[in-house]
Amino acid sequence: MAAGALVVPAASATTGPHQARTGSARADAVQEGLNALVRTDGVPAALAGVRERAGHTRTYTAGVGDLATGSAVPRDGQVRVGSNTKAFTAVAVLQLVGEGKVGLDTSVETYLPGLVHGKGIDGNRITVRRLLQHTSGLPDYVPYLDDDVRPYTPGDLVDIALRHEAVFAPGEDWQYSNTNYVLAGMIIEKVTRRPLGEELHRRVIERAGLRHTYFPAPGDVKIREAHPKGYYQESPGAPLRDGTELDPSWAWAAGQMISTNSDLNRFYTALLSGDLLPKAQLRQMRTTVPAEYFGPGARYGLGIVSRPLSCGGRYWGHGGSTTGYETRGGVRGDLRAAANIAVTTQPSDKRVMERVDGLVDGALCRRATRSH
C-alpha cells in the first residue's frame, strides 16, 4: 500500500489553480476555509461542493492532488467516501422493507440463520433495526484487523467480530460498529440473491442519478476517474505515504464506496426529498437516538446522522473516514442547501476535522440564508 514517504511541498500551501465557480475570482468563506486547512493544518488537498435549493452547485479546491508531482486537485474529483456507504446500504435495506421482503423488527437469525452467535451474542435478539441504528451491541471488527492489507470476504469480517464479547445487550445502548453494516449487506444479498454492488447501483446510484459514484468490484484497488491522491501516516508526525490504491474489501457494506462531493450532495438531497424511499421508511430512517460520537447534539437514525446547525435546525448526512480520505457534510432538513467537504488524509488532530465540520455548518447556514 505504501509508495514511499512524501513530504508536503510548499505548493500545497496555496490554493489550486481553479477558483470556485462563482463568476468571480474572489474567494468566499468556503474557499478561505479550504485554503486554511492546507496552509495551517497541513492536509495535502481539500475539496468542497455546495448545492443550493435551485440546484446550482459550486465546487472548490485547495492544495495539490499529488504530492510527488504537485499536480492540481481535480475539481469535484472522486474520493473514497468511507462510511457514507452506510447510508446507501440502509436505503437498500429500507427499500426491501417497503417491498415486504425484510422486516425492521425481524431478527437477524431469520435472514442469516446460525451466523450471529458468540459470547453474549444471540442473533435471535438482534433485529435489522438494531443493526442499522448501531444498537445491536455487536463488537466492531475494525480494531482487530491484521496490519497487512489483504482481501476480506464479508464472512471473514463477521468472524473477526464474533471472536469478541458483546459490548452490551441488544437495544440497551448505542455504539458505532461496522459489523452491523456488514451484516446488513449480507442480508441484502441473501434476500435479493444478487451481489451487494449490483443492488446498490440499481436501487440507489442509478435512481438518484449519480454519475460518479460506484461500489468497487472485488480486487478493484484503483479509483476510476480523476481524483486527488489520498495519504496516511504510520504515526502522528510521521511522513505522509501514498495510500490511494488499496483493496477496500475490509470495509464492504460499511465503507467501500467511491464518490464525489457533488454526487453526495445529490444523494442526500434525493434521500431527504423522498425520492429514494416511501414516506413510511423515510420516517423510520429519520427516527433517531443520541449519538455524541458524531459531536455535541448529534443523533443517529437508520444509516444517517442528524447534527444541529449553528443557525438553527439540523442537517442530515453521515461522513466517512477511510485510508487516505475524510469526508463530512449533508443536507439541511429543510432542503435549502447541501454541502460536502473532503480532505486527502486522516488528520491525527481531531481539531482539524472539527474545523471541517465548522466549514460545512457555515456553508449550509450561509447558502440557506441567501437562497431564502
Side-chain angles (χ1 to χ4, degrees), residues 48-113:
V50 181
R51 181 182 176 92
E52 298 176 359
R53 179 179 241 174
H56 176 68
T57 295
R58 302 182 184 193
T59 57
Y60 306 79
T61 66
V64 294
D66 185 331
L67 292 179
T69 67
S71 63
V73 182
R75 183 168 297 283
D76 206 30
Q78 285 186 328
V79 297
R80 299 187 187 278
V81 298
S83 288
N84 285 288
T85 305
K86 291 180 174 69
F88 287 76
T89 299
V91 169
V93 171
L94 288 166
Q95 287 179 356
L96 291 169
V97 171
E99 294 164 13
K101 297 175 182 175
V102 170
L104 265 181
D105 297 308
T106 301
S107 72
V108 174
E109 181 71 15
T110 301
Y111 304 105
L112 304 172

Side-chain angles (χ1 to χ4, degrees), residues 125-140:
R125 298 186 60 199
I126 297 172
T127 63
V128 174
R129 183 192 303 275
R130 288 172 175 167
L131 293 181
L132 297 183
Q133 199 152 46
H134 294 299
T135 55
S136 69
L138 289 170
D140 188 2

